[in-house]
Amino acid sequence: MVRILSIHILDAHELAAKVLQEEISAKDVVSFFLERISKINPALNAFVYTNEASALSQASQVDVRKRQGEKMPLAGVPIAVKDVISVKDYQITCGSKILRGYIAPYDATVVERLKKAGAIIIGITNTDEFAMGSSTENSAYGPTHNPWSCTRVPGGSSGGSAVAVASGLSPVALGTDTGGSVRLPAAFTGVFGLKPTYGAVSRYGLIAYSNSLEQIGVFARSVKDLALVYSVISGADTRDGTTQNFGWDLFSCMGNSIENWKIGIVKETLAEGVDVSVQDALRDCSSYLERLGASVEEVSIKHIPFSLAAYYLIAMSEASSNLARFDGVRYGEHTSFEEEWNVEFSKVRSLFGLEVKRRILLGAYSLSAGYYEMFYEKAARFRSLISEEFKEAFKQFDVLLTPTSPTPPFRLGEKLQDPLMMYLSDIHTVPVNLAGLPALNLPVKIVQHDGELLPVGVQAIAPYGRDDKLFTLASALEKSAFIKKRIVEPWGRIVWTN
Amino acid sequence: MINESTVLKLAAQLRIQLTKEEVEKIAKDLAQIVEYFEQLNRLEELKNYEPSYTPTTKVNALREDEPRSGLSQSDALRNAISEKGFIKAPRI
C-alpha cells in the first residue's frame, strides 16, 4: 500500500495507475484531498463549494467499477471544476449572487465524460462573476488568492482552478477561456493552461458568457496530465453543434521532435508595456527552443493591437444576450410576487455585480440600432481580418509565441478602479479567441519581481485544429527540464519540485 | 455619446435596476471604453472583410429526428418556485 501522506505531489496519471493497481483506493485519494482542501483552501479561497458526500460516493463507485475490471483512464483522479460548468447536485453560481442556491440538475458533457473515465469532481472553484474578469476579484464569494503571494491576484477568470492545481489541492482542473481566462491564471500561478481549438470541446452544460469565443480548458502540472484530461473531455457532441472531432493522438505527439520547426515570435506583442522580466522569459524560451533544433524568428501580425477592442465588443454583445435568461424565475435568487414582472425582473437583476452590469449595458449598446454597424459589425469584420492574418503567419511557422501576460501577477485591488486597465491584461490572449485557435500557457520561469518570487508564462499558439502541435512543443520543453513542476503553498513556499 | 441618460435608458431596456452611484460610475466607465472601441473605426481595411460570427467551419449540425430523454419534471422544477407543476412567475 502506498503511503498516503503526500499523494498531492503525484500527477493524475500516476494516481490513476496506483488506483487501478489497487495500491490505494479512490476513496482514500478523495478523503486525502478533501482534508487537504479543508486545511489549505481557507487562505486561498480557490474552492467555493465542495460536496463531500457526493465526492466520497463517486469514489466508492469507482472502487466498485475497478474491482469489476473496468479500465478507467482517470480512475480515482480528483478534478476541480470552475463554477460555470454544470455538475449534477452541486451548487453552481457563476460567482454571482443571482444564482445563489442554484443546484445543477444535470452534468455538463465534459463532466459526464470525466465521470465515465473514473474521475471524481472534488469541488467547484471560484471565478470572476460569469467569467467576466482577469483576476478572480469580481466573484460575489470573495477573491481567490495567489499562493505565490498574499498580495497578488492569481489571474482570472479561472483563478480558483489554477490555484487548486498550483497548490496541490487537485492534480488537474477545468476552467473556461473566453479571452484568456485559462491561460492568464495559468501564467500567474505557474501551471500549464490549455485553451482548445474552438469546437474541440463541448460547451453543453457550460453556462454561457460568449458562445463564439469560449471553450472549456484544462489546467495541469504536466503535459501528460493535460493530454489525459484533454483526450477524455474533447470530441464531437451532438448536444453542441459547434463541436467536431479532430482525431489527434496526443500521447504519440508528445514523443515527436521539434527539430527544424519554425517558431515565430509575434513582434507586436513585444511592444511597450511588456515588463522586462516577461521579455526575458520569452527570450530564454526562444534560445532554448533553438538549442532543441527549432529556428526562431520574429513575425508580424499587423492588426493584433486592435484585437482587444474587437474582442470586448463581441464578448459584451453576446453576454448581454446570454445573461437575459437570469430573471429570478426558473433558477437562482427568486423574485417576490408583489409587483409586475418588469419591476421584479429589474430588482432581481440588480444582484449582478458592477462589472457584469457594465458589460450587459455596453453589449446592448453596441448591438442597438444606429450603433450596430459602427461597433458590433465592425468587430465581426475584424474577426475575419485577424483570422486571415494568423492563417498567413501559419503558412511559414509551426507555432507562434507571445508573452501570456504583459506583466507578472499584479496586486489585488491594483486594477479594480479602471476597467480598461483590467481589460488590457488580456491583450495577448484575446486575439486567439477571435480566431478560434488553440493556445497553451507554458509555465517557463519563476522571476524575482518587486521583491517576490513570481511565475511568468509564455503563450504558444497553433493553427486551427492543430492542438497536437502544442503538446509536441510543451513536451519537448518539459522533457529537457526547461519547464519544472512545482507545488506552492501560501505564501510562496515551494513545498515540492521535480 | 454615452451619458447618464443613455445608461438609464439601457438599464430600463435590459431590466436592471441601478443605484444613482452605479449610473454615474457606469456612465463614466462606458464613455471611456467606447472611446477605446472607436479605434476600430479608423481601420479602413475592414470594409474588405465580411463579418464572421464564429470561428468554426461547421454549418447546420443536424441530427436524426429521434426523441431523447430530457430533464424530469421534478429536476426541471427543482430550482424554481412552483405550483401544481408550473413555474411561478410575477404577474404581467
Side-chain angles (χ1 to χ4, degrees):
Chain A
M1 286 293 274
V2 74
R3 294 179 77 211
I4 56 171
L5 292 177
S6 54
I7 57 173
H8 58 290
I9 69 172
L10 295 176
D11 270 0
H13 69 269
E14 294 170 319
L15 267 175
K18 289 194 192 293
V19 168
L20 286 172
Q21 283 152 31
E22 311 236 11
E23 285 180 50
I24 185 171
S25 70
K27 202 137 181 260
D28 282 341
V29 172
V30 167
S31 305
F32 173 88
F33 277 99
L34 285 173
E35 166 136 18
R36 189 171 160 81
I37 291 169
S38 71
K39 281 207 295 265
I40 300 179
N41 187 61
L44 295 170
N45 197 32
F47 285 90
V48 289
Y49 179 80
T50 50
N51 184 333
E52 292 209 5
S54 172
L56 288 168
S57 147
Q58 288 170 56
S60 301
Q61 285 170 50
V62 168
D63 285 327
V64 167
R65 289 160 67 190
K66 170 196 69 190
R67 282 195 293 273
Q68 290 170 344
E70 197 180 326
K71 291 278 169 274
M72 296 166 279
L74 285 170
V77 173
I79 184 160
V81 171
K82 184 178 181 181
D83 194 12
V84 293
I85 298 171
S86 306
V87 179
K88 190 171 192 318
D89 300 332
Y90 281 44
Q91 179 179 258
I92 306 297
T93 68
C94 300
S96 181
K97 288 192 206 141
I98 209 170
L99 274 180
R100 197 161 36 199
Y102 171 68
I103 306 288
Y106 71 108
D107 282 327
T109 294
V110 295
V111 172
E112 266 180 19
R113 291 177 178 182
L114 285 165
K115 286 182 176 176
K116 185 149 176 272
I120 287 137
I121 313 303
I122 196 78
I124 304 298
T125 53
N126 203 13
T127 172
D128 281 300
E129 192 179 356
F130 287 103
M132 299 181 191
S134 312
S135 63
T136 317
E137 291 175 284
N138 283 337
S139 168
Y141 302 97
T144 293
H145 290 261
N146 193 327
W148 288 90
S149 160
C150 64
T151 60
R152 294 187 187 260
V153 303
S157 57
S158 313
S161 281
V163 168
V165 172
S167 54
L169 301 182
S170 181
V172 285
L174 292 188
T176 64
D177 191 308
T178 310
S181 290
V182 163
R183 292 160 285 155
L184 187 68
F188 279 13
T189 55
V191 297
F192 288 104
L194 172 72
K195 178 219 163 285
T197 287
Y198 183 86
V201 180
S202 173
R203 289 173 298 110
Y204 179 80
L206 165 61
I207 297 173
Y209 154 28
S210 177
N211 321 50
S212 75
L213 294 166
E214 60 201 0
Q215 280 292 276
I216 291 175
V218 187
F219 292 97
R221 296 187 299 265
S222 71
V223 184
K224 193 161 181 194
D225 277 0
L226 206 69
L228 189 52
V229 174
Y230 193 37
S231 339
V232 166
I233 64 171
S234 58
D237 178 19
T238 52
R239 293 175 297 189
D240 175 354
T242 60
T243 57
Q244 52 183 307
N245 287 318
F246 290 97
W248 313 295
D249 177 352
L250 297 174
F251 299 100
S252 75
C253 295
M254 282 162 52
N256 297 344
S257 150
I258 58 164
E259 213 178 311
N260 300 320
W261 269 36
K262 300 191 81 179
I263 297 179
I265 300 200
V266 180
K267 187 165 91 178
E268 289 79 6
T269 64
L270 290 174
E272 226 181 277
V274 179
D275 193 271
V276 152
S277 60
V278 171
Q279 296 194 40
D280 284 346
L282 185 48
R283 217 181 332 264
D284 286 351
C285 187
S286 334
S287 317
Y288 204 84
L289 289 167
E290 281 176 321
R291 264 183 279 155
L292 293 178
S295 73
V296 182
E297 9 175 320
E298 270 190 7
V299 61
S300 168
I301 300 200
K302 183 165 155 222
H303 287 90
I304 253 193
F306 296 90
S307 307
L308 198 71
Y311 164 82
Y312 273 103
L313 271 167
I314 293 174
M316 292 185 186
S317 301
E318 295 188 356
S320 159
S321 174
N322 282 319
L323 268 61
R325 72 195 66 193
F326 298 105
D327 55 17
V329 176
R330 287 158 297 174
Y331 25 67
E333 289 290 348
H334 292 297
T335 58
S336 69
F337 298 101
E338 291 153 15
E339 316 219 41
E340 55 100 18
W341 67 279
N342 257 322
V343 175
E344 293 293 354
F345 285 2
S346 304
K347 264 198 287 190
V348 94
R349 286 162 65 79
S350 73
L351 289 173
F352 285 131
L354 192 59
E355 181 59 36
V356 172
K357 284 173 175 159
R358 265 195 288 258
R359 297 194 193 194
I360 291 177
L361 296 182
L362 192 45
Y365 182 77
S366 325
L367 290 168
S368 62
Y371 295 113
Y372 179 91
E373 288 85 12
M374 184 159 61
F375 291 127
Y376 182 73
E377 200 188 69
K378 282 248 161 70
R381 290 179 194 273
F382 182 85
R383 185 172 208 160
S384 307
L385 187 164
I386 201 76
S387 301
E388 275 308 309
E389 286 190 357
F390 270 114
K391 270 206 198 95
E392 271 310 301
F394 283 124
K395 284 187 181 152
Q396 291 178 64
F397 295 95
D398 288 278
V399 292
L400 302 175
L401 292 185
T402 77
T404 303
S405 159
T407 66
F410 49 88
R411 294 188 192 281
L412 290 154
E414 191 180 312
K415 302 198 180 192
L416 286 180
Q417 283 323 302
D418 181 352
L420 204 50
M421 224 172 107
M422 184 68 86
Y423 299 165
L424 285 163
S425 326
D426 297 337
I427 199 151
H428 299 142
T429 48
V430 301
V432 166
N433 299 78
L434 287 170
L437 305 175
L440 175 63
N441 176 70
L442 303 162
V444 296
K445 215 172 170 190
I446 308 295
V447 302
Q448 269 285 348
H449 178 83
D450 265 359
E452 294 181 284
L453 280 180
L454 298 172
V456 163
V458 164
Q459 173 178 236
I461 308 170
Y464 186 88
R466 293 307 309 273
D467 308 38
D468 55 304
K469 288 193 156 184
L470 297 175
F471 283 85
T472 304
L473 182 78
S475 185
L477 287 169
E478 185 190 49
K479 268 202 290 256
S480 58
F482 181 70
I483 293 181
K484 297 177 86 67
K485 258 189 294 205
R486 289 167 198 91
I487 292 186
V488 59
E489 287 177 11
W491 303 103
R493 284 191 318 125
I494 299 174
V495 298
W496 178 81
T497 183
N498 64 345
Chain B
M1 230 199 277
I2 287 206
N3 55 25
E4 289 186 23
S5 106
T6 324
V7 171
L8 284 166
K9 263 201 229 109
L10 286 167
Q13 285 172 337
L14 292 157
R15 315 283 185 254
I16 302 182
Q17 204 177 77
L18 296 174
T19 65
K20 191 163 165 296
E21 291 78 23
E22 283 175 324
V23 173
E24 270 174 46
K25 173 101 176 74
I26 291 178
K28 257 201 260 114
D29 292 335
L30 295 199
Q32 191 200 18
I33 299 169
V34 167
E35 212 186 294
Y36 182 78
F37 287 167
E38 275 170 353
Q39 58 180 271
L40 285 183
N41 290 322
R42 287 188 269 123
L43 293 180
E44 284 300 313
E45 50 270 60
L46 284 182
K47 61 176 183 286
N48 301 324
Y49 291 85
E50 283 302 300
S52 64
Y53 301 105
T54 174
T56 181
T57 46
K58 280 198 79 185
V59 290
N60 301 335
L62 301 173
R63 64 175 174 88
E64 288 307 310
D65 187 13
E66 285 155 1
R68 295 178 174 182
S69 62
L71 283 183
S72 66
Q73 187 189 48
S74 63
D75 276 343
L77 292 176
R78 187 180 184 180
N79 288 291
I81 294 175
S82 60
E83 256 177 46
K84 302 181 192 160
F86 290 90
I87 293 176
K88 192 169 173 187
R91 63 186 161 82
I92 302 216

